[in-house]
Amino acid sequence: MASMCSSVSNSSRFLASKPSSSSSCRSKSNLSTIRCAIGEIISEAKVSSSTEPLLLSAVKGEKVERPPVWLMRQAGRYMKSYQLICEKYPSFRERSENVDLVVEISLQPWKVFKPDGVILFSDILTPLPGMNIPFDIVKGKGPIIYDPLRTAEDVSKIREFVPEEFVPYVGEALTTLRAEVKNEAAVLGFVGAPFTLASYVVEGGSSKHFSKIKRMAFSQPEVLHALLQKFTTSMAQYIKYQADHGAQAVQIFDSWATELSPADFEEFSLPYLKQIVDSVKSTHPNLPLILYASGSGGLLERLSLTGVDVVSLDWTVDMAEGRRRLGADVAVQGNVDPGVLFGSKDFITKRINDTVNKAGNHKHILNLGHGIVVGTPEENVAHFFEVAKGIRY
């Protein structure tokens, strides 16, 4: 069981400082045995290799000097540079399906903030046209599925996704990002989880009550299972494709899985997530997989059963409690409330340090508990990264 470690030290300007002898977490020799105030050993960490990105070292459980940091939606509408691109290219799909634009947008936060993870600018619905499911993303409305899937016949028309054929720009963009970033940060890819993708295509877009997908689940479960299996096979291939073209870790977004009860999660989400993880690990055993599900406090233990390397917590879960529930072997990501970035710089600093203290100095990626909110002051994001990168365990 993991315990809280008050292990963060900062100088007045967030410069590196060594832990004092009175620190509640101590390390010794090259193999660091981490002891917390209650005296419980929670892990042993190997010393990080300087030849790979900090994020990858942290996920492996190697000893790192600080938590790696990146932010979900770090490339997006809060940045003035992104707004200028939107003025010139108003279509989201154009921005996310053009190699040069994808690379430029993905690198915008990297050039300004130097995060430890550079995530591909894309969308979880990007594979849909390649599966014979037309869609668009309309400003002010969000995703629109033109022909929602409601019957077994609809599902039978879905074809297996072949990334090389339908999204070659994703592979090209990832390869370019690796060349640009080198190993100064980890290049991250991402996909949507089967249940979340199914929710979009059955509901016809975003939803408040998920009545259509639940109607299918509870009245035609065989149809939903067939749909989920098609997404599972395709997303496993998509993750492998991203890894083969430069992604050094891949995040799986199961945004809507938490609309399911625990029992229904075990039927309609968990088995398919496990299939994806098992398939990817059979060919890419060293590729870190991160799982994020918003509002997942009631499902944490089940999320770890998927076999992913990292569980990303949202802000409604106390980080120390999440650590205890998941155990020391599972890396965690998160989980500062995105709304904190509207607060004062002192308040942001306090919340960052609180999160890192509770996560401890082992297998933690500092992030928000959700994506950056539109309208977030860009200078506050800069402050978040400044503080985070100045932390020393």
Side-chain angles (χ1 to χ4, degrees):
M1 180 180 73
S3 302
M4 290 193 299
C5 297
S6 296
S7 54
V8 181
S9 59
N10 291 83
S11 72
S12 60
R13 289 302 300 158
F14 316 111
L15 298 176
S17 62
K18 295 180 180 180
S20 69
S21 59
S22 61
S23 172
S24 61
C25 289
R26 303 186 301 274
S27 63
K28 57 184 180 179
S29 73
N30 285 342
L31 283 178
S32 172
T33 299
I34 301 169
R35 291 182 182 272
C36 294
I38 61 173
E40 179 185 18
I41 298 176
I42 61 171
S43 60
E44 290 192 351
K46 297 179 181 179
V47 177
S48 169
S49 167
S50 60
T51 60
E52 70 176 1
L54 181 68
L55 187 148
L56 300 185
S57 298
V59 172
K60 291 177 182 178
E62 295 177 354
K63 183 180 178 182
V64 292
E65 65 178 4
R66 63 170 176 84
V69 56
W70 70 281
L71 302 181
M72 287 183 275
R73 293 183 185 163
Q74 65 188 16
R77 289 173 287 177
Y78 74 98
M79 295 190 77
K80 180 63 176 177
S81 55
Y82 179 75
Q83 295 168 17
L84 293 174
I85 288 180
C86 291
E87 291 175 6
K88 188 174 182 180
Y89 304 97
S91 166
F92 178 87
R93 287 196 59 184
E94 181 178 9
R95 296 192 299 273
S96 63
E97 297 177 13
N98 175 293
V99 175
D100 292 337
L101 291 177
V102 169
V103 170
E104 181 180 354
I105 295 168
S106 300
L107 289 176
Q108 283 180 342
W110 163 249
K111 292 176 179 178
V112 177
F113 309 122
K114 286 295 189 288
D116 296 301
V118 175
I119 192 164
L120 175 77
F121 179 77
S122 186
D123 193 84
I124 63 171
L125 302 185
T126 292
L128 293 187
M131 300 183 72
N132 199 30
I133 307 173
F135 89 102
D136 202 355
I137 296 178
V138 180
K139 185 176 182 180
K141 293 184 178 180
I144 302 294
I145 308 300
Y146 291 115
D147 297 301
L149 279 59
R150 304 284 165 75
T151 67
E153 183 181 0
D154 292 337
V155 174
S156 70
K157 296 176 182 177
I158 296 176
R159 59 182 172 231
E160 185 173 327
F161 182 55
V162 182
E164 296 88 345
E165 181 178 350
F166 294 106
V167 292
Y169 51 86
V170 168
E172 292 178 41
L174 285 167
T175 300
T176 303
L177 288 173
R178 276 295 297 276
E180 290 281 343
V181 175
K182 301 181 173 60
N183 266 349
E184 295 177 47
V187 172
L188 310 175
F190 69 93
V191 303
F195 182 79
T196 291
L197 294 174
S199 295
Y200 276 111
V201 304
V202 173
E203 295 287 339
S206 300
S207 177
K208 289 185 178 180
H209 303 294
F210 297 87
S211 57
K212 297 179 179 65
I213 186 77
K214 290 190 175 184
R215 179 190 296 273
M216 180 180 286
F218 303 143
S219 66
Q220 303 178 81
E222 70 284 353
V223 175
L224 180 53
H225 280 300
L227 176 59
L228 292 168
Q229 188 58 59
K230 290 199 173 192
F231 278 130
T232 297
T233 301
S234 292
M235 292 308 103
Q237 293 304 315
Y238 193 26
I239 291 174
K240 296 174 185 179
Y241 172 81
Q242 292 186 29
D244 289 342
H245 287 78
Q248 294 165 288
V250 175
Q251 180 154 310
I252 303 169
F253 285 90
D254 207 352
S255 308
W256 304 130
T258 51
E259 294 294 326
L260 295 169
S261 70
D264 294 323
F265 176 82
E266 290 178 357
E267 179 175 356
F268 296 110
S269 183
L270 179 58
Y272 299 101
L273 289 168
K274 290 179 69 173
Q275 274 193 54
I276 289 174
V277 174
D278 290 345
S279 177
V280 171
K281 292 296 185 179
S282 70
T283 57
H284 298 71
N286 298 318
L287 178 71
L289 296 176
I290 306 166
L291 176 60
Y292 174 78
S294 179
S296 60
L299 297 172
L300 280 190
E301 292 83 357
R302 290 171 175 84
L303 295 184
S304 66
L305 294 178
T306 60
V308 294
D309 303 279
V310 185
V311 173
S312 191
L313 306 178
D314 79 350
W315 73 93
T316 64
V317 179
D318 181 81
M319 176 57 80
E321 180 185 339
R323 274 293 206 188
R324 286 193 294 270
R325 291 172 61 186
L326 290 168
D329 291 337
V330 179
V332 293
Q333 178 174 272
N335 68 336
V336 177
D337 183 342
V340 166
L341 293 176
F342 289 100
S344 69
K345 289 181 171 57
D346 286 344
F347 183 69
I348 294 168
T349 300
K350 179 180 177 181
R351 287 299 182 91
I352 291 171
N353 287 333
D354 179 66
T355 298
V356 175
N357 281 330
K358 289 179 175 180
N361 58 359
H362 180 66
K363 287 192 171 185
H364 175 224
I365 302 169
L366 180 61
N367 206 314
L368 300 177
H370 200 279
I372 297 178
V373 179
V374 176
T376 297
E378 194 167 341
E379 62 269 23
N380 285 2
V381 176
H383 180 73
F384 189 102
F385 279 109
E386 178 189 1
V387 174
K389 297 185 76 172
I391 288 170
R392 293 297 179 267
Y393 288 135

